[in-house]
Amino acid sequence: MASVVRYSTEEEEEKAEGPELESEDDEESGAESFLTDEEMAYLEGWDPVEDFDDYQQDDEEPRTSPVLQHDSSPAEDPSTSPAGQDASPYASTKGEQPPQHGRKRGQTRARSPSPPHSRAQGSRSKRAQRLSSGRTKTRSRSPRKPPPVYSATSWTTEEDPDACPETKRFVPARPPGHKLNPDKTYTPLDLFKLFFSNKAALTICNHTNKQAAKKIAKGKKYTWTNITTEEFFKYVGLTFFVALVKLSKISDYWKKNTIFSVPFPANVMTRDRYQVISWNIHMSDPDKDGENDRKKGTPHHDRLFRLKPLLDTIKNACLAFYHPRQNLAINERMVAAKAHTGMTRPMKAKPIAYGFKLFVLADSSNGYTVDFTVYTGKSQFVSGVGLAYDSVMSLINKKYLGSGFHLYVDNFYTSPKLFKDLFSLNVGACGTYRDNRKAYPHTDSNALKKNAPRGSIRWIRQGPLVFVKWMDTREVSICSTIHPAFSGNTMKRRVKTKGYNWTTKCIPCPTPIMEYNKYRGGVDLSDQLIQHYTGHHKSMRWYQTLFFHFLDIAATNSYLLHKDLCREKQEEPMSHKDFLEELTAQLCGVTVKTPCAQTHSSHVPVAITKVLDVSRRASYGRKSCINCRQTRKANQCTPWKCKECDVALCVIADRNCFEAWHS
């Protein structure tokens, strides 16, 4: 099903009110948003290679996922079949009915769920075809290929010892931690410029000036002066100021003459200047954008061309200035966007339901973003093994990392092939898995029952892989090449007694689950740091949305480097908010603490009359002090009065009626 793509005109873009309005126009990127069946399956949380069998079917039958269950009969090995033939004896002739095996009364055929889009589209469209063509209800289809069945005889309990493979020695390519000079003092601006260097800023300024000149030549009516690196960093500083001080619209930061006015942004840059920079910010060379656009539909077209060279600069800096510790995590990160570019995707299970999808490799100890890739569609991963497999292998660079690392992933990525290939690279892996996927052990012998007590454990080892099932409030399945199945660990749980009272109970817990809960949140921790003070706001172009996300990555990684430096020097690091405030001030060329504003008052003592004759100044023009008359009932004359109140008041060393009157 294709989504509707809207192309905005140049006039509509002129009417847009700055960064608050987001155009769905994607004149530069190719706005194809048609999704293949495999991409739609991925959006529903399926990996077609791992979750579906490649069985033949006729035109009437919608695609469904395979039935993964224990088969007591031996499965035929596809490798023993003649070349070019299917392993099933009934798959060669279309329409031939396989032998009907009887079922006991009351027994139904088990089906595992298929992706919702396949069921919905397939059932409606095929039903309409049958009704229009007058087909009968009787259909013939070829049987499915049997899923691979392992020779594991039965599940083992926690009472049986597990022979875990030898632990891989941790040999990182570089010492873990920051790669900075420990004797040097780094300010927040110094750390930020490790990721956004002056050279990268100059490149963006040159491309932004070209883009503005190109738009003005097309008839855009706004004033433009070339942006410099100094002004660019002030623009970035105001972007972080917007992240720290939340208002509903960008224009509200320049609102005047109200109690809600924010004076600082107007002292750095005018509103119109900030908005016109936001409209024209450009990372790639506009002269080369057209050349890349003409390659659409060919393998030479680069969908991320407008993010470069900044994308490469940020990724290289993330890798260069920090080396991760032993425990890593890979997960998806969503960047909110509304534009339909062909690269934006829905993701129901994430807090951000629609936007750009990034595959992120993060350090589980602190959330540092080590590496990431922007998902551009199915064509990005062409190995044929599967999207989950390719996304992980594209981020694991043994030459950069070294060996002996432990990787934690969720059930979308976990597969025996992936874990075995990582194990061959001396990288251990651990992750939850889905029972209905292929290549997992499916035997009912001594299996975990639905009514098993809490804390029950079953496991099967197949070489370096150990598959563990654990009963908590529900059944949890996990696979690991790092840990033994059970090491005597326990976990506290609140349970209800027979008297309907709640009590705390210690139940056995498998070792892989204990370690998985400890280290799986590396990307989640990174997302929390980014989203709390994010510079993201609505933009005119899709690549500008990712530009703001690159700012967030640079600022967050800079803060984590600051914490690492302070920990090494045994100093107290700044909080995340204090670090961003100091970074914002340094980018804008000011200090966080400003001097107290001087109060201007017109209540000052002045002479009652101006006397030019020096001999008469002591006595001429004197008036009775109003404060002396009211408080002391005395008639004291003075040559001084208050300029604002216009009343005579004494101002002498032993009697300051001026101060007493105004207090």
Side-chain angles (χ1 to χ4, degrees), residues 415-451:
S415 70
K417 176 174 176 53
L418 172 64
F419 279 22
K420 288 179 180 179
D421 289 351
L422 289 173
F423 189 79
S424 66
L425 297 175
N426 291 333
V427 176
C430 178
T432 56
Y433 69 88
R434 303 175 181 179
D435 292 329
N436 60 352
R437 279 194 169 179
K438 299 183 293 184
Y440 288 108
H442 301 284
T443 175
D444 295 332
S445 177
N446 198 27
L448 199 64
K449 305 298 182 182
K450 291 184 177 180
N451 58 350

Short mmCIF file of all heavy atoms in Angstrom, two decimals, residues 415-451:
data_model
loop_
_atom_site.label_atom_id
_atom_site.label_comp_id
_atom_site.label_asym_id
_atom_site.label_seq_id
_atom_site.Cartn_x
_atom_site.Cartn_y
_atom_site.Cartn_z
N SER A 415 19.35 -14.32 16.40
CA SER A 415 19.20 -15.50 15.55
C SER A 415 20.44 -16.37 15.75
O SER A 415 21.53 -15.86 16.01
CB SER A 415 19.04 -15.11 14.08
OG SER A 415 20.26 -14.58 13.57
N PRO A 416 20.32 -17.70 15.65
CA PRO A 416 21.49 -18.57 15.80
C PRO A 416 22.60 -18.26 14.81
O PRO A 416 23.77 -18.29 15.18
CB PRO A 416 20.90 -19.97 15.58
CG PRO A 416 19.47 -19.85 15.98
CD PRO A 416 19.06 -18.47 15.55
N LYS A 417 22.27 -17.94 13.58
CA LYS A 417 23.32 -17.64 12.59
C LYS A 417 24.09 -16.40 12.99
O LYS A 417 25.33 -16.36 12.92
CB LYS A 417 22.72 -17.47 11.20
CG LYS A 417 23.77 -17.08 10.16
CD LYS A 417 23.22 -17.06 8.76
CE LYS A 417 24.27 -16.56 7.78
NZ LYS A 417 25.55 -17.28 7.86
N LEU A 418 23.38 -15.35 13.40
CA LEU A 418 24.06 -14.12 13.81
C LEU A 418 24.98 -14.37 14.99
O LEU A 418 26.14 -13.96 14.99
CB LEU A 418 23.02 -13.05 14.17
CG LEU A 418 23.58 -11.77 14.79
CD1 LEU A 418 24.48 -11.03 13.81
CD2 LEU A 418 22.46 -10.86 15.27
N PHE A 419 24.49 -15.10 16.00
CA PHE A 419 25.29 -15.33 17.20
C PHE A 419 26.50 -16.21 16.89
O PHE A 419 27.58 -16.00 17.44
CB PHE A 419 24.42 -15.96 18.28
CG PHE A 419 23.58 -14.96 19.03
CD1 PHE A 419 23.26 -13.74 18.47
CD2 PHE A 419 23.09 -15.24 20.29
CE1 PHE A 419 22.48 -12.81 19.14
CE2 PHE A 419 22.32 -14.32 20.98
CZ PHE A 419 22.01 -13.11 20.39
N LYS A 420 26.33 -17.19 16.00
CA LYS A 420 27.47 -18.04 15.64
C LYS A 420 28.52 -17.26 14.86
O LYS A 420 29.72 -17.43 15.07
CB LYS A 420 26.99 -19.25 14.84
CG LYS A 420 26.24 -20.28 15.66
CD LYS A 420 25.78 -21.44 14.79
CE LYS A 420 25.02 -22.48 15.62
NZ LYS A 420 24.54 -23.61 14.77
N ASP A 421 28.08 -16.39 13.95
CA ASP A 421 29.03 -15.60 13.19
C ASP A 421 29.75 -14.59 14.07
O ASP A 421 30.94 -14.32 13.89
CB ASP A 421 28.31 -14.89 12.04
CG ASP A 421 27.87 -15.85 10.95
OD1 ASP A 421 28.27 -17.03 11.01
OD2 ASP A 421 27.13 -15.43 10.05
N LEU A 422 29.03 -14.01 15.04
CA LEU A 422 29.69 -13.12 15.99
C LEU A 422 30.69 -13.89 16.85
O LEU A 422 31.77 -13.39 17.17
CB LEU A 422 28.65 -12.43 16.87
CG LEU A 422 27.77 -11.37 16.20
CD1 LEU A 422 26.68 -10.90 17.16
CD2 LEU A 422 28.60 -10.18 15.74
N PHE A 423 30.31 -15.11 17.22
CA PHE A 423 31.21 -15.93 18.03
C PHE A 423 32.49 -16.26 17.27
O PHE A 423 33.58 -16.32 17.86
CB PHE A 423 30.48 -17.23 18.44
CG PHE A 423 31.23 -18.06 19.45
CD1 PHE A 423 31.20 -17.73 20.79
CD2 PHE A 423 31.96 -19.17 19.05
CE1 PHE A 423 31.89 -18.49 21.73
CE2 PHE A 423 32.64 -19.94 19.97
CZ PHE A 423 32.61 -19.60 21.32
N SER A 424 32.37 -16.45 15.96
CA SER A 424 33.57 -16.71 15.15
C SER A 424 34.46 -15.48 15.07
O SER A 424 35.66 -15.59 14.79
CB SER A 424 33.16 -17.15 13.74
OG SER A 424 32.50 -16.10 13.05
N LEU A 425 33.89 -14.28 15.31
CA LEU A 425 34.68 -13.05 15.35
C LEU A 425 35.17 -12.74 16.76
O LEU A 425 35.68 -11.64 17.01
CB LEU A 425 33.83 -11.87 14.85
CG LEU A 425 33.34 -11.93 13.40
CD1 LEU A 425 32.43 -10.76 13.09
CD2 LEU A 425 34.52 -11.95 12.44
N ASN A 426 35.01 -13.68 17.68
CA ASN A 426 35.38 -13.50 19.10
C ASN A 426 34.57 -12.39 19.76
O ASN A 426 35.07 -11.63 20.58
CB ASN A 426 36.88 -13.20 19.24
CG ASN A 426 37.74 -14.40 18.90
OD1 ASN A 426 37.31 -15.54 19.02
ND2 ASN A 426 38.96 -14.15 18.45
N VAL A 427 33.30 -12.30 19.37
CA VAL A 427 32.36 -11.36 19.98
C VAL A 427 31.20 -12.18 20.53
O VAL A 427 30.50 -12.86 19.77
CB VAL A 427 31.85 -10.32 18.97
CG1 VAL A 427 30.79 -9.43 19.62
CG2 VAL A 427 33.00 -9.48 18.44
N GLY A 428 31.01 -12.16 21.84
CA GLY A 428 29.89 -12.86 22.44
C GLY A 428 28.61 -12.07 22.28
O GLY A 428 28.62 -10.84 22.13
N ALA A 429 27.48 -12.77 22.31
CA ALA A 429 26.18 -12.12 22.12
C ALA A 429 25.16 -12.73 23.05
O ALA A 429 25.23 -13.91 23.40
CB ALA A 429 25.72 -12.24 20.66
N CYS A 430 24.21 -11.91 23.44
CA CYS A 430 23.12 -12.35 24.31
C CYS A 430 21.87 -11.55 23.96
O CYS A 430 21.95 -10.33 23.76
CB CYS A 430 23.49 -12.13 25.78
SG CYS A 430 22.19 -12.60 26.96
N GLY A 431 20.73 -12.23 23.87
CA GLY A 431 19.49 -11.53 23.55
C GLY A 431 18.28 -12.42 23.67
O GLY A 431 18.38 -13.64 23.55
N THR A 432 17.15 -11.81 23.92
CA THR A 432 15.89 -12.55 23.94
C THR A 432 15.54 -12.98 22.53
O THR A 432 16.01 -12.38 21.54
CB THR A 432 14.77 -11.67 24.51
OG1 THR A 432 14.69 -10.45 23.75
CG2 THR A 432 15.03 -11.33 25.97
N TYR A 433 14.74 -14.02 22.40
CA TYR A 433 14.37 -14.49 21.07
C TYR A 433 12.90 -14.86 21.03
O TYR A 433 12.23 -15.00 22.07
CB TYR A 433 15.25 -15.67 20.63
CG TYR A 433 15.02 -16.98 21.37
CD1 TYR A 433 14.05 -17.89 20.95
CD2 TYR A 433 15.79 -17.31 22.49
CE1 TYR A 433 13.85 -19.09 21.61
CE2 TYR A 433 15.60 -18.50 23.15
CZ TYR A 433 14.63 -19.40 22.71
OH TYR A 433 14.44 -20.57 23.39
N ARG A 434 12.39 -15.02 19.81
CA ARG A 434 10.99 -15.36 19.58
C ARG A 434 10.87 -16.85 19.31
O ARG A 434 11.57 -17.38 18.46
CB ARG A 434 10.43 -14.56 18.40
CG ARG A 434 10.58 -13.07 18.59
CD ARG A 434 10.14 -12.30 17.36
NE ARG A 434 10.31 -10.86 17.54
CZ ARG A 434 10.01 -9.96 16.62
NH1 ARG A 434 9.54 -10.34 15.45
NH2 ARG A 434 10.21 -8.67 16.86
N ASP A 435 9.97 -17.50 20.02
CA ASP A 435 9.84 -18.95 19.90
C ASP A 435 9.40 -19.39 18.52
O ASP A 435 9.65 -20.53 18.11
CB ASP A 435 8.86 -19.47 20.95
CG ASP A 435 9.40 -19.32 22.36
OD1 ASP A 435 10.63 -19.38 22.52
OD2 ASP A 435 8.61 -19.11 23.29
N ASN A 436 8.69 -18.53 17.78
CA ASN A 436 8.16 -18.95 16.49
C ASN A 436 9.13 -18.75 15.35
O ASN A 436 8.77 -18.90 14.18
CB ASN A 436 6.86 -18.19 16.19
CG ASN A 436 7.07 -16.69 16.14
OD1 ASN A 436 8.14 -16.18 16.48
ND2 ASN A 436 6.03 -15.95 15.75
N ARG A 437 10.37 -18.39 15.65
CA ARG A 437 11.36 -18.22 14.60
C ARG A 437 12.00 -19.56 14.22
O ARG A 437 11.95 -20.52 14.97
CB ARG A 437 12.44 -17.23 15.02
CG ARG A 437 12.01 -15.78 14.83
CD ARG A 437 13.18 -14.84 14.93
NE ARG A 437 12.81 -13.51 14.49
CZ ARG A 437 13.63 -12.48 14.48
NH1 ARG A 437 14.88 -12.64 14.89
NH2 ARG A 437 13.24 -11.30 14.07
N LYS A 438 12.62 -19.54 13.06
CA LYS A 438 13.25 -20.75 12.56
C LYS A 438 14.57 -20.99 13.29
O LYS A 438 15.13 -20.12 13.94
CB LYS A 438 13.53 -20.62 11.06
CG LYS A 438 12.28 -20.42 10.22
CD LYS A 438 12.60 -20.38 8.75
CE LYS A 438 13.41 -19.18 8.37
NZ LYS A 438 13.64 -19.10 6.92
N ALA A 439 15.06 -22.21 13.16
CA ALA A 439 16.39 -22.62 13.63
C ALA A 439 16.51 -22.60 15.15
O ALA A 439 17.62 -22.53 15.67
CB ALA A 439 17.47 -21.73 13.01
N TYR A 440 15.40 -22.64 15.86
CA TYR A 440 15.44 -22.76 17.31
C TYR A 440 14.98 -24.16 17.71
O TYR A 440 14.19 -24.80 17.00
CB TYR A 440 14.56 -21.70 17.98
CG TYR A 440 15.13 -20.32 17.89
CD1 TYR A 440 14.55 -19.37 17.06
CD2 TYR A 440 16.25 -19.95 18.62
CE1 TYR A 440 15.08 -18.09 16.96
CE2 TYR A 440 16.78 -18.69 18.54
CZ TYR A 440 16.19 -17.76 17.71
OH TYR A 440 16.72 -16.50 17.62
N PRO A 441 15.42 -24.66 18.84
CA PRO A 441 14.99 -26.02 19.25
C PRO A 441 13.50 -26.03 19.59
O PRO A 441 13.03 -25.19 20.35
CB PRO A 441 15.85 -26.30 20.49
CG PRO A 441 16.25 -24.97 21.00
CD PRO A 441 16.37 -24.07 19.80
N HIS A 442 12.78 -27.00 19.03
CA HIS A 442 11.34 -27.13 19.27
C HIS A 442 11.06 -28.59 19.66
O HIS A 442 10.76 -29.43 18.82
CB HIS A 442 10.54 -26.75 18.03
CG HIS A 442 10.79 -25.35 17.56
ND1 HIS A 442 10.26 -24.25 18.18
CD2 HIS A 442 11.55 -24.88 16.54
CE1 HIS A 442 10.66 -23.15 17.57
NE2 HIS A 442 11.45 -23.52 16.57
N THR A 443 11.20 -28.86 20.92
CA THR A 443 10.92 -30.19 21.44
C THR A 443 10.05 -30.06 22.67
O THR A 443 10.22 -29.14 23.49
CB THR A 443 12.23 -30.93 21.78
OG1 THR A 443 11.90 -32.18 22.39
CG2 THR A 443 13.10 -30.12 22.72
N ASP A 444 9.09 -30.95 22.82
CA ASP A 444 8.17 -30.92 23.95
C ASP A 444 8.67 -31.76 25.12
O ASP A 444 8.04 -31.76 26.18
CB ASP A 444 6.79 -31.45 23.52
CG ASP A 444 6.15 -30.52 22.49
OD1 ASP A 444 6.46 -29.31 22.53
OD2 ASP A 444 5.36 -31.00 21.66
N SER A 445 9.77 -32.45 24.93
CA SER A 445 10.27 -33.32 25.99
C SER A 445 10.82 -32.47 27.14
O SER A 445 11.78 -31.71 26.96
CB SER A 445 11.36 -34.24 25.43
OG SER A 445 11.90 -35.04 26.45
N ASN A 446 10.19 -32.59 28.32
CA ASN A 446 10.58 -31.85 29.52
C ASN A 446 10.52 -30.34 29.30
O ASN A 446 11.28 -29.58 29.91
CB ASN A 446 11.98 -32.25 29.98
CG ASN A 446 12.25 -31.86 31.42
OD1 ASN A 446 11.33 -31.76 32.23
ND2 ASN A 446 13.49 -31.61 31.75
N ALA A 447 9.61 -29.91 28.43
CA ALA A 447 9.51 -28.48 28.13
C ALA A 447 8.83 -27.75 29.28
O ALA A 447 8.18 -28.35 30.15
CB ALA A 447 8.72 -28.26 26.84
N LEU A 448 8.97 -26.45 29.29
CA LEU A 448 8.38 -25.60 30.33
C LEU A 448 6.88 -25.50 30.09
O LEU A 448 6.43 -25.13 29.00
CB LEU A 448 9.02 -24.22 30.29
CG LEU A 448 8.87 -23.34 31.53
CD1 LEU A 448 9.56 -23.96 32.73
CD2 LEU A 448 9.46 -21.95 31.26
N LYS A 449 6.09 -25.85 31.10
CA LYS A 449 4.63 -25.82 30.99
C LYS A 449 4.10 -24.42 31.30
O LYS A 449 4.76 -23.62 31.97
CB LYS A 449 4.00 -26.83 31.94
CG LYS A 449 4.49 -28.26 31.76
CD LYS A 449 4.17 -28.80 30.37
CE LYS A 449 4.63 -30.25 30.24
NZ LYS A 449 4.38 -30.77 28.88
N LYS A 450 2.90 -24.15 30.81
CA LYS A 450 2.30 -22.84 31.06
C LYS A 450 2.00 -22.60 32.53
O LYS A 450 2.01 -21.47 32.99
CB LYS A 450 1.02 -22.69 30.23
CG LYS A 450 1.26 -22.58 28.73
CD LYS A 450 -0.04 -22.33 27.99
CE LYS A 450 0.22 -22.15 26.50
NZ LYS A 450 -1.02 -21.90 25.74
N ASN A 451 1.70 -23.67 33.25
CA ASN A 451 1.38 -23.54 34.68
C ASN A 451 2.58 -23.84 35.56
O ASN A 451 2.43 -24.14 36.76
CB ASN A 451 0.22 -24.46 35.04
CG ASN A 451 0.53 -25.93 34.74
OD1 ASN A 451 1.54 -26.22 34.09
ND2 ASN A 451 -0.34 -26.84 35.18
#
